[in-house]
Amino acid sequence: MQKITFAKGDGIGPEIMDATLKILNAAGARIEWEEIEVGEKVYLSGNTSGISAEAWDSLRRNRVFLKAPITTPQGSGYKSLNVTMRKTLGLYANVRPCKSFHPFVRTKHPQLDVVIIRENEEDLYAGIEHQQTDEVVQCLKIITRPGCEKIVRYAFEYARLYKRKKVSCLVKDNIMKLTDGLFHRVFKEIAAEYPDVESDSWIVDIGAARLSDTPEIFDVVVTPNLYGDVISDITAQISGSVGLAGSANIGESCAMFEAVHGSAPTIAGQNVANPSGLLRAACMMLNHIGQPDVAERVLNAWSCTIEEGIHTPDIYTEGISRVKVGTQDFADAIIERLGQKPKQLQSSEFARGVKLNVGAYHRRQPAQKVLKGVDIFVDWKGQNPEELADRMRKLDNEIKLTMITNRGVKVWPNGFSETFCTDHWRCRFEVENGHPADKRSIPAILSEAIAEGLDIIKTENLYEFDGVKGFSLGQGQ
Ligand code: NAD
């Protein structure tokens, strides 16, 4: 018996969780269930995190969590509990297998069989946002070497374990050369350690277009958080219904299993929701806790039900389906078929019983880090960059003004009058002679700027790491 925490969530959550637990218990899952409350009710009781201290205790004690979808109330007073839980529990890998069930579930992509492995803790989901001027807000995109190494290695280990042929990396490093560039570089380094697994790389825009048009050319996809979020919903939807896909959030010591979809409040309480996403996630969980025999029994019965055309409304199609059933009747149909084997649908997908572990991250020898200058961001309501340059040049010391950009594009020196400018200016100061800059030069510039009445909103130091620039050029530089 293993103790597992579960939460019924919001919207369609309670209906699909009841159906899932009923099937798991009937299939002989060796689980003792412990329920916690998370989500809307907790948020609206005045707890803006959406989760109580007792619920955290249960999660940290049991380390495995089966979670129904929850509703995040609108408004800036609430943070997404899903993102908080993934990050707080260190669940770095989000694994989302998407598969077509042709000819039993209608889809334009009968060959679709793709596993999206989405980085789960970083990227724009760091949630670090600031308003800096009247006109400008920013969101920090954080990509780390440990984060990239863990997720990419996980993808290759997954491919090996599940006998998948290829891992594809989707990034936008033609634009984000440092952040997505690091993800891509780590991908290439780690791919070289797995010569038995093919690998390729795509710019995310054309990669996502091909994934939604010709998914059969992909096998395992590894990608940063935001792209993974978007493409996994698309891939689940084009397999037949977003209601079909389950997902695993895997960390070094904890794991959380949930459907890919949300709480679908518009169809809640009507007994029409498809419980398959949560049920398939529960099968991933059974595999994770060493009960692949039960996972296989459940998936076989599920496949038989789908093959026999017993379908919930989201996948019901005249001419393909036979009976339209509600959530609970669908669950009962699966229970009736426990012990049967499907005729066509392969269902041993998750039944490996092996827990993937990529091992701990080992920090490398630190690089030689040399200060080369500073970017100083200024809130300035003027329009002519020459005027700002005149004021900023008065601040020069051993580091000197070399460039001003607005929204990343160079406007000084030799800017174009056509370039639209906001009130958010970046002034780059650099050492001239290639020597390391003295750190004290930066506060000296800042205190001069304050004395000059300039509104400095932030600074970013410019470093070289082992002789390689750790900052991007200005556009047009
Ligand atoms: P959603 O995924 O909840 O639903 C979109 C639509 O997809 C529904 O209206 C429904 O037509 C269909 N659908 C989804 N699941 C289905 C199922 N099991 N069976 C049949 N049809 C299904 O997306 P949304 O409406 O944008 O989000 C609703 C709420 O869910 C929001 O508050 C959002 O924050 C939350 N959400 C939670 C999670 C999570 O808990 N992991 C994930 C995504 C969204």
Side-chain angles (χ1 to χ4, degrees), residues 240-418:
S241 166
V242 73
L244 289 172
S247 80
N249 299 266
I250 305 288
E252 271 163 38
S253 57
C254 298
M256 174 170 86
F257 299 84
E258 59 184 341
V260 163
H261 60 77
S263 59
T266 51
I267 57 166
Q270 297 167 31
N271 191 34
V272 293
N274 190 343
S276 300
L278 186 60
L279 185 66
R280 296 180 69 81
C283 290
M284 295 170 89
M285 177 191 80
L286 287 165
N287 186 52
H288 177 86
I289 62 171
Q291 299 188 23
D293 52 324
V294 189
E296 189 150 23
R297 216 166 124 73
V298 172
L299 283 171
N300 279 340
W302 180 87
S303 299
C304 292
T305 312
I306 295 291
E307 283 185 351
E308 286 181 43
I310 303 169
H311 292 170
T312 46
D314 58 316
I315 55 169
Y316 183 88
T317 312
E318 286 294 341
I320 297 179
S321 311
R322 211 168 46 80
V323 199
K324 193 189 281 183
V325 288
T327 314
Q328 302 314 321
D329 285 348
F330 182 69
D332 289 339
I334 295 172
I335 291 168
E336 277 166 31
R337 285 158 185 77
L338 285 168
Q340 295 182 19
K341 292 238 161 75
K343 293 189 181 65
Q344 260 176 271
L345 292 177
Q346 201 206 351
S347 60
S348 54
E349 173 96 351
F350 313 119
R352 309 270 164 176
V354 183
K355 216 189 256 186
L356 268 187
N357 197 345
V358 298
Y361 171 75
H362 296 291
R363 183 169 285 166
R364 298 172 159 208
Q365 194 67 9
Q368 203 196 354
K369 183 176 167 188
V370 178
L371 185 67
K372 288 290 180 177
V374 65
D375 277 348
I376 297 183
F377 292 77
V378 186
D379 181 346
W380 185 62
K381 305 297 183 205
Q383 276 302 318
N384 181 358
E386 290 292 340
E387 267 176 48
L388 181 60
D390 286 345
R391 292 186 69 183
M392 296 305 290
R393 270 191 299 189
K394 289 193 192 134
L395 315 177
D396 280 359
N397 49 38
E398 58 136 9
I399 48 177
K400 299 195 179 349
L401 185 70
T402 54
M403 175 181 74
I404 300 178
T405 68
N406 196 295
R407 293 188 300 172
V409 68
K410 181 176 69 105
V411 293
W412 182 92
N414 309 322
F416 283 14
S417 57
E418 290 86 348

Side-chain angles (χ1 to χ4, degrees), residues 28-45:
R30 303 173 287 281
I31 294 174
E32 193 185 319
W33 298 101
E34 186 169 292
E35 184 169 4
I36 57 167
E37 179 109 61
V38 291
E40 210 172 14
K41 263 195 224 139
V42 184
Y43 280 120
L44 300 179
S45 73

Side-chain angles (χ1 to χ4, degrees), residues 101 130 238 245 433:
F101 303 102
H130 297 97
I238 65 171
N433 49 15

Side-chain angles (χ1 to χ4, degrees), residues 79 124 126-142 377 379 423-424 457-460:
K79 279 290 221 191
L124 291 158
I128 306 175
E129 294 187 294
H130 297 97
Q131 178 165 1
Q132 296 173 322
T133 69
D134 288 326
E135 294 172 350
V136 176
V137 286
Q138 73 161 21
C139 176
L140 276 188
K141 170 159 168 141
I142 301 211
F377 292 77
D379 181 346
D423 58 3
H424 185 273
I457 48 185
K458 77 161 186 171
T459 62
E460 286 285 352

Side-chain angles (χ1 to χ4, degrees), residues 37-62:
E37 179 109 61
V38 291
E40 210 172 14
K41 263 195 224 139
V42 184
Y43 280 120
L44 300 179
S45 73
N47 180 339
T48 52
S49 70
I51 180 167
S52 66
E54 297 75 48
W56 276 125
D57 287 346
S58 166
L59 291 173
R60 296 181 76 189
R61 214 171 31 244
N62 298 331

